[in-house]
Amino acid sequence: MINRRTALLTAVASAAAFAVRAQDNPMLHAPHAGPPPQTDYDPALVALVNGPQRSAANKARDPWRHPLETLSFWGLQPGLVVADIDPGGGYWTEIVAPYLAQGGGRYIAGMADPNDPAASDGAKRGRAAFEAKYADKAVYGPIAYAPFSAAGGFIAPADSIDLIIYSRYVHDLMGIPGALPRTLGGFDSSLKPGGVLAVEEHRADPRAMVPNATDGYVATDFVIGEARKAGLMFEKASEINANPKDTKDHPFGVWTLPPTRRSAPGGQPPNPAFDHSKYDAIGESDRMTVRFKKPLSA
């Protein structure tokens, strides 16, 4: 839910914290109904979704992000090479990195290159903080890194990755000329034939997308079209992360909702008089959950 457009140009934004007062806690409004129950999930993945290696703040978001169902839909399996693009606060890292370490796979964080002179100090600090947070190899395994930035896109060896997780990030690149095509092109190049690009994004549908999705909401057809231009095939979409309560007309865009809970325009201090109750009752955003595949042959 963090708007990373500014962060890409100047710094990596820190993860937003949930309100600590119970009466302001948006988790109290978590939906009671979720995706249909299944019984065929990988027990190792189930254990890690519920495991002690996850932070309380990230677990509290599960009613909207459905990690078990989402990762299963995307095709996460033991032994895969998985790249997580700008993992931020590590919502997926806490689950995917240890899962791959246990199953003989490899987790790659797509982040700023600290040796890149063009990388901002904020981006370098964000990379250093992430490395420190997930340094325990006994828990998370050895985490690898691949350069990712708005200016350079994603850089990894050709045909080297099985699955790329691109979570709530399409909108951040849309106002930066050439950034989204460059990034998607890097995904296509680095995926193995038959590899999967997994996308989770705030969904504008059924209303029209505003120019450059400056409110954070992106049209599904736009995402599919841009991925196809990069050479990727649309495979399927899921309603796992749909939220019909999201009216998508909030005063500060999608960031009005939890977990960001913005109360003033970007760059301005929070407004202590802002009433969050209406937006906390909505919960997190309505999201598309999509799978794209790199063709087996050109």
Side-chain angles (χ1 to χ4, degrees):
M1 295 286 296
I2 299 170
N3 181 359
R4 288 171 281 193
R5 181 176 288 113
T6 301
L8 281 165
L9 298 174
T10 60
V12 173
S14 60
F18 289 103
V20 295
R21 292 189 300 145
Q23 62 266 36
D24 290 335
N25 187 350
M27 297 311 147
L28 296 177
H29 303 284
H32 296 292
Q38 292 182 232
T39 58
D40 57 348
Y41 294 121
D42 184 343
L45 185 58
V46 174
L48 286 166
V49 166
N50 297 300
Q53 85 288 351
R54 298 189 65 206
S55 69
N58 280 337
K59 281 186 175 181
R61 301 186 67 190
D62 289 355
W64 290 281
R65 301 196 66 177
H66 309 102
L68 182 60
E69 297 88 347
T70 299
L71 290 170
S72 299
F73 170 76
W74 282 337
L76 180 67
Q77 298 177 22
L80 297 185
V81 177
V82 178
D84 187 1
I85 305 303
D86 198 356
Y91 182 87
W92 294 120
T93 311
E94 292 178 349
I95 303 169
V96 178
Y99 179 77
L100 294 173
Q102 293 175 14
R106 187 177 180 219
Y107 177 88
I108 302 171
M111 302 187 75
D113 180 354
N115 298 313
D116 181 359
S120 69
D121 290 340
K124 292 176 182 179
R125 287 194 298 270
R127 164 75 178 264
F130 182 89
E131 288 188 27
K133 184 176 181 180
Y134 297 105
D136 190 344
K137 293 182 181 179
V139 176
Y140 302 106
I143 292 179
Y145 294 86
F148 171 71
S149 67
F154 180 63
I155 302 173
D159 302 337
S160 64
I161 297 173
D162 297 293
L163 172 66
I164 295 176
I165 298 174
Y166 191 45
S167 181
R168 303 177 346 274
Y169 215 144
V170 174
H171 64 276
D172 291 294
L173 299 183
M174 288 172 59
I176 305 171
L180 184 57
R182 183 164 49 245
T183 294
L184 292 172
F187 294 163
D188 179 66
S189 172
S190 61
L191 281 170
K192 298 176 182 178
V196 171
L197 171 62
V199 174
E200 174 195 16
E201 181 57 272
H202 315 299
R203 179 167 54 182
D205 315 321
R207 67 158 172 80
M209 182 175 70
V210 303
N212 287 331
T214 53
D215 61 355
Y217 289 99
V218 184
T220 304
D221 284 349
F222 174 84
V223 176
I224 292 173
E226 292 300 301
R228 282 175 171 163
K229 289 177 187 177
L232 298 164
M233 301 187 304
F234 169 73
E235 190 174 17
K236 57 182 176 177
S238 171
E239 291 297 297
I240 293 168
N241 295 306
N243 181 358
K245 293 182 180 180
D246 186 2
T247 55
K248 311 174 187 184
D249 57 355
H250 319 308
F252 311 112
V254 72
W255 304 282
T256 314
L257 299 177
T260 305
R261 304 177 81 236
R262 184 176 290 175
S263 60
Q268 296 187 17
N271 174 10
F274 185 80
D275 184 1
H276 289 280
S277 59
K278 170 184 175 181
Y279 308 101
D280 289 349
I282 291 170
E284 295 199 17
S285 68
D286 176 61
R287 295 171 186 151
M288 67 180 86
T289 308
V290 189
R291 274 179 55 132
F292 298 93
K293 183 170 283 189
K294 181 174 179 175
L296 291 173
S297 59

